[in-house]
Amino acid sequence: MNSASTPSASPSEEISGLVERVTFFNEESGFAVLRVKVRGHRELVTILGSLPSVSAGEWLTAEGWWVRDREHGLQFRAKVLKAVPPTTSEGVERYLAGGFVKGVGPVLARKLVSHFGAEVLGIIGNTPHELESVDGIGPKRRERIASAWQEGVQIREIMLFLHSHGVSTGRAVRIYKTYGNLAIQTVRENPYTLAKEIRGIGFATADQIAQSVGIPRDSQNRARAGVDHVLLGATSEGHCALPLEKLKASAVKLLEVPVETVEQAISQMLTSGFLLLDEIDGEPLVFLPHMRKAEDGIAIRIRELATAPVSYPEVDMAKALLWCEERTGKALAPSQRDALKTALTNRTIIITGGPGVGKTTLVNSILLILRAKKVKCLLCAPTGRAAKRLSETTGLEAKTIHRLLEVDPATGRFTRNEDKPLECDLLVVDETSMVDVLLMYALLRALPRNAGLIMVGDVDQLPSVGPGNVLRDLIDSGVIPVVRLTEVFRQASTSKIITNAHLVRQGKMPELRTAETSTDFYFIERDTPEDIAATLTRLVQDRIPNAHKVNAIRDVQVLCPMNRGSIGVRELNIALQERLNPVRPGEPAAERFGWRFQARDKVIQTENDYSKEVFNGDIGTIEKIDPVEQEVLIRFDDRLVTYDFGELDEVSLAYAVTIHKSQGSEFPAVVIPLAMQHYMLLQRNLIYTGMTRARKLLVLVGQKKALGLAVRNDQSRKRYSGLLSSLKQPG
């Protein structure tokens, strides 16, 4: 704001008028720029200020000062803003047409006001059956309008309640959808439940509400909520537990209370069973009980599988090999033949190795032989893209693990378990490095007692986003036979993507000089973050699509080491959206949760949504935005999924995503920015994982020093877990 006058230097005054247009509204901060028809002013007045919510057509009162902005002219800067529903026919029509009632647009708003006048809001809220007297409104539409009105009123009440306690109101829709009519009561009685159950509301926000409603800072309820928050936060960083002293220190720092208060809370939670203390390798670790139960459950089941005899029909290895090679036209290498024998003579095995080493050929050979013996096989992978790729490489149906285990949308629990096991003799799990402790436990619970298990994955990639390091722990335990394929086959050795990825895996710098003659690998050196960002956007917008005949939005994926920074996910998404999908005048858009969403945008799901059957990491494209129904339609592969505007905190733009989020996916072209501003996250397995996401083209843009640091750094962050210890214990 370039103001010629200082508000505090001017006397405050009060103005009021009809909101004609909401030029800008930030749902997180409540900051608004409004165009208002003010009494005594011929022209519309621009009013700036903060309030919980606002719609065109509402009557606004504002207390504040006039300021003259050098760029925008005279404006009213409000220190207090209040909006109330309109009472005039003109205001009511604008109010309804502005989207307060989902399903009512400008045409229907005009009809309703023409029929009922200014009383229409009362009719919708109190006697909605009268709406059927309007042409075009039948019982179903009347019910939808009345339901949307009640929901809107409830959400507005939640917004006002949160705002009165100093909290942003952007999550009000999700709070309402979670708690319904009990939302305000729930928040008032135990605001800390918000931090556990509402995405986007952390402990600090819940604590702010708690202080506002009078919960003492030294209360045990607050201390227990803080301890719970620290442990839940640790699981989002990959830990299954935390050392007792680390947990205490983190909770004391969060809560700003004496350590005795935290120790009392932990003691109560241990006594009541909300926490579990276990000594792992001489170190006392504190677990959430369900996490320790999952680790122990995995260990028990894996040891059973490792010692059980195979249940498949006997296979004559020599004949089977000859028959398999004749059928596929591919001769297996000695290492693959040994691996095939191991797979056919053990109830469970792990197949690991980097790109181009023949994992797919080996798995296809195993499946070909066993299916010929009438062995019923099921295939799965953690993500939709990984499952689709597994289907393409095997020619068999493959499902995501969640779909295979038949997740219940209402509860998020799996219906397949030991009481209703999967119907198979062999289960093949691809991309196992992505499978966390809880998901692996669910899989093993659903595995039939006499079935075999083959786990396939690249152990040198990043571990799962969720808690634990399952594949690494299973390999390190020595309990299961492990087949590690290392030989890069001839057809793959011509790819500089693959050969350079293996160099990085071995701790060696990729061959950057080959970029001059390579057709699939390039390193473009740039020294500053600004130059890196500028080069990257030009590559994605023009050079790669033109040179390689690919679609910039669909086929080119930017993968970043981190979210923050000038070449992090957020900033690059904004820049790439402006270049690849600029605003089209008159086209509807949805501005929610810090993003502007519009048709054709590439987006990524950021959490599991069981009701929609869309999962964390799924990438889709926005097909349509409906401002009347307040819905966004997003296509994920062959499925079209509907999101309410208030659910858009589940997705974010995906022109650029983190390397972590890209696990399990492959893209025709990948561009990775590298700079020392990422140094905290520059690790070998991170860069290796990013490189192996590229199918046809890989471009690294940035500082050679940053690449060198990543290649040398093989010290992955330690994950606190008890799985390896449990696996090593005698059965």
Side-chain angles (χ1 to χ4, degrees):
M1 174 71 68
N2 299 312
S3 300
S5 59
T6 306
S8 58
S10 312
S12 68
E13 64 177 281
E14 186 174 290
I15 62 174
S16 59
L18 185 73
V19 178
E20 285 282 328
R21 186 168 73 249
V22 180
T23 304
F24 175 80
F25 182 69
N26 185 312
E27 294 205 348
E28 296 304 298
S29 65
F31 177 74
V33 179
L34 310 171
R35 297 284 284 164
V36 182
K37 187 186 291 183
V38 176
R39 289 172 178 165
H41 290 258
R42 291 174 60 188
E43 303 290 330
L44 293 180
V45 171
T46 299
I47 298 179
L48 291 77
S50 293
L51 71 175
S53 62
V54 65
S55 297
E58 290 185 308
W59 188 262
L60 189 81
T61 59
E63 183 185 341
W65 303 269
W66 292 98
V67 297
R68 187 168 296 280
D69 182 85
R70 281 196 287 271
E71 187 177 344
H72 300 289
L74 193 65
Q75 299 176 331
F76 191 82
R77 184 90 60 83
K79 65 177 181 180
V80 178
L81 274 180
K82 292 181 182 176
V84 295
T87 54
T88 66
S89 294
E90 179 191 9
V92 169
E93 184 176 331
R94 283 190 175 279
Y95 189 59
L96 288 173
F100 181 75
V101 183
K102 183 178 175 182
V104 177
V107 174
L108 186 55
R110 193 173 300 115
K111 272 188 181 181
L112 288 167
V113 172
S114 174
H115 193 89
F116 295 111
E119 305 303 314
V120 67
L121 298 184
I123 288 166
I124 295 174
N126 302 315
T127 55
H129 61 275
E130 293 184 37
L131 296 176
E132 292 184 40
S133 61
V134 176
D135 183 43
I137 298 181
K140 282 188 178 179
R141 196 167 195 189
R142 179 258 301 165
E143 193 174 313
R144 282 180 61 213
I145 292 171
S147 175
W149 170 264
Q150 291 301 329
E151 182 175 309
V153 169
Q154 288 280 345
I155 291 169
R156 179 66 65 97
E157 285 182 20
I158 297 166
M159 285 178 171
L160 291 168
F161 174 77
L162 293 174
H163 206 68
S164 70
H165 292 289
V167 178
S168 68
T169 55
R171 310 290 168 182
V173 173
R174 191 163 293 283
I175 293 172
Y176 173 76
K177 286 185 178 295
T178 303
Y179 304 117
N181 294 334
L182 298 175
I184 292 177
Q185 179 185 333
T186 302
V187 173
R188 187 177 280 122
E189 289 177 356
N190 186 6
Y192 294 109
T193 57
L194 295 179
K196 288 181 70 172
E197 298 175 3
I198 305 298
R199 175 179 172 80
I201 294 185
F203 180 84
T205 302
D207 200 35
Q208 186 177 341
I209 299 172
Q211 304 303 303
S212 184
V213 299
I215 296 175
R217 287 183 61 79
D218 61 352
S219 76
Q220 278 298 297
N221 273 347
R222 180 172 182 265
R224 285 193 293 270
V227 169
D228 205 42
H229 174 74
V230 170
L231 269 178
L232 283 171
T235 64
S236 68
E237 294 177 4
H239 302 296
C240 297
L242 279 180
L244 178 59
E245 292 306 315
K246 191 178 181 74
L247 173 61
K248 284 196 286 189
S250 297
V252 166
K253 183 178 179 181
L254 173 74
L255 297 164
E256 297 178 334
V257 296
V259 68
E260 292 79 16
T261 304
V262 170
E263 287 175 340
Q264 186 181 349
I266 292 174
S267 177
Q268 287 180 1
M269 295 171 83
L270 288 169
T271 302
S272 58
F274 287 108
L275 296 179
L276 184 72
L277 183 65
D278 203 348
E279 189 169 296
I280 308 295
D281 298 327
E283 185 174 34
L285 295 184
V286 180
F287 292 82
L288 294 167
H290 72 283
M291 202 68 72
R292 189 66 180 126
K293 179 183 178 183
E295 290 186 334
D296 282 338
I298 291 170
I300 291 167
R301 192 72 179 92
I302 287 292
R303 285 198 302 267
E304 288 174 356
L305 283 164
T307 55
V310 294
S311 55
Y312 321 131
E314 191 173 339
V315 174
D316 183 320
M317 287 302 302
K319 287 183 179 178
L321 270 169
L322 188 62
W323 176 81
C324 183
E325 290 178 347
E326 286 176 352
R327 290 289 299 271
T328 62
K330 292 182 179 179
L332 297 182
S335 59
Q336 291 175 309
R337 291 183 172 212
D338 291 341
L340 183 61
K341 184 177 180 181
T342 303
L344 297 177
T345 54
N346 287 275
R347 180 72 74 85
T348 182
I349 71 160
I350 292 172
I351 300 172
T352 189
V357 296
K359 294 193 300 292
T360 299
T361 300
L362 175 58
V363 170
N364 282 342
S365 299
I366 295 167
L367 292 171
L368 190 62
I369 292 169
L370 290 180
R371 290 180 72 237
K373 291 284 187 178
K374 307 302 181 188
V375 173
K376 186 173 182 182
C377 305
L378 288 179
L379 283 65
C380 65
T383 67
R385 285 184 171 229
K388 185 177 181 182
R389 200 169 67 249
L390 184 59
S391 287
E392 290 168 354
T393 56
T394 61
L396 304 173
E397 182 187 21
K399 297 181 178 180
T400 63
I401 296 174
H402 286 85
R403 289 198 179 98
L404 183 77
L405 297 180
E406 297 172 14
V407 66
D408 180 352
T411 63
R413 295 195 177 115
F414 298 115
T415 57
R416 292 284 183 176
N417 51 38
E418 50 273 280
D419 298 323
K420 187 185 176 185
L422 298 167
E423 296 167 11
C424 67
D425 305 310
L426 172 67
L427 178 64
V428 177
V429 187
D430 199 13
E431 296 284 359
T432 312
S433 63
M434 295 181 62
V435 181
D436 63 28
V437 160
L438 298 175
L439 198 53
M440 180 57 76
Y441 179 49
L443 257 180
L444 291 172
R445 286 181 65 192
L447 187 71
R449 306 306 296 183
N450 64 342
L453 174 67
I454 296 177
M455 292 172 279
V456 186
D458 187 346
V459 74
D460 295 311
Q461 287 184 20
L462 288 166
S464 58
V465 174
N469 200 347
V470 175
L471 183 61
R472 170 68 66 187
D473 287 345
L474 290 175
I475 291 173
D476 290 349
S477 72
V479 173
I480 304 177
V482 177
V483 170
R484 182 185 274 275
L485 301 174
T486 57
E487 180 186 351
V488 179
F489 290 96
R490 189 173 65 251
Q491 62 270 30
S493 64
T494 59
S495 165
K496 294 302 178 185
I497 296 173
I498 290 176
T499 55
N500 278 324
H502 280 280
L503 286 173
V504 168
R505 182 183 63 79
Q506 295 159 14
K508 300 174 184 176
M509 281 288 282
E511 295 179 14
L512 304 183
R513 66 182 185 277
T514 62
E516 298 169 8
T517 56
S518 170
T519 57
D520 67 354
F521 174 87
Y522 299 89
F523 177 78
I524 301 175
E525 189 167 8
R526 294 291 183 269
D527 291 329
T528 67
E530 294 75 20
D531 286 345
I532 294 170
T535 299
L536 183 146
T537 51
R538 285 197 300 271
L539 281 168
V540 175
Q541 183 181 19
D542 296 317
R543 289 174 60 185
I544 292 175
N546 292 337
H548 295 269
K549 308 303 179 194
V550 294
N551 180 282
I553 295 178
R554 185 186 64 240
D555 299 325
V556 185
Q557 185 62 56
V558 176
L559 301 181
C560 301
M562 64 192 297
N563 280 300
R564 296 187 301 276
S566 57
I567 48 174
V569 165
R570 178 158 189 84
E571 292 299 320
L572 288 177
N573 264 317
I574 292 170
L576 289 167
Q577 183 188 43
E578 287 177 359
R579 295 286 191 96
L580 302 179
N581 191 22
V583 174
R584 299 186 183 183
E587 187 175 72
E591 294 198 26
R592 291 292 190 279
F593 308 106
W595 297 110
R596 175 188 172 88
F597 297 102
Q598 48 206 36
R600 299 166 304 281
D601 274 336
K602 181 161 64 172
V603 294
I604 185 168
Q605 180 79 11
T606 56
E607 64 174 278
N608 291 337
D609 188 323
Y610 302 112
S611 62
K612 292 181 171 59
E613 289 194 21
V614 185
F615 303 104
N616 192 350
D618 287 353
I619 292 177
T621 304
I622 295 177
E623 287 207 354
K624 182 183 178 184
I625 294 177
D626 188 334
V628 174
E629 295 295 335
Q630 297 178 35
E631 291 176 344
V632 176
L633 273 66
I634 304 177
R635 181 168 296 282
F636 293 94
D637 292 326
D638 57 347
R639 297 176 60 241
L640 203 56
V641 182
T642 301
Y643 290 75
D644 289 339
F645 281 7
E647 296 176 317
L648 290 175
D649 58 343
E650 291 186 14
V651 297
S652 61
L653 294 179
Y655 300 101
V657 301
T658 62
I659 295 173
H660 276 89
K661 288 283 188 188
S662 73
Q663 285 177 267
S665 296
E666 280 188 351
F667 309 96
V670 166
V671 183
I672 302 176
L674 289 170
M676 291 305 293
Q677 70 171 227
H678 299 144
Y679 77 96
M680 289 289 288
L681 290 173
L682 290 177
Q683 296 169 349
R684 188 184 302 170
N685 60 357
L686 183 86
I687 300 304
Y688 173 73
T689 301
M691 292 174 71
T692 54
R693 300 308 90 207
R695 194 160 62 240
K696 296 179 181 177
L697 177 67
L698 171 64
V699 184
L700 307 180
V701 185
Q703 300 163 352
K704 198 177 291 185
K705 182 180 178 182
L707 177 59
L709 175 64
V711 172
R712 290 191 303 273
N713 182 12
D714 196 26
Q715 301 301 308
S716 298
R717 190 176 299 174
K718 178 179 178 180
R719 292 190 166 195
Y720 294 106
S721 164
L723 177 58
L724 183 58
S725 174
S726 295
L727 284 163
K728 287 181 174 179
Q729 289 176 8

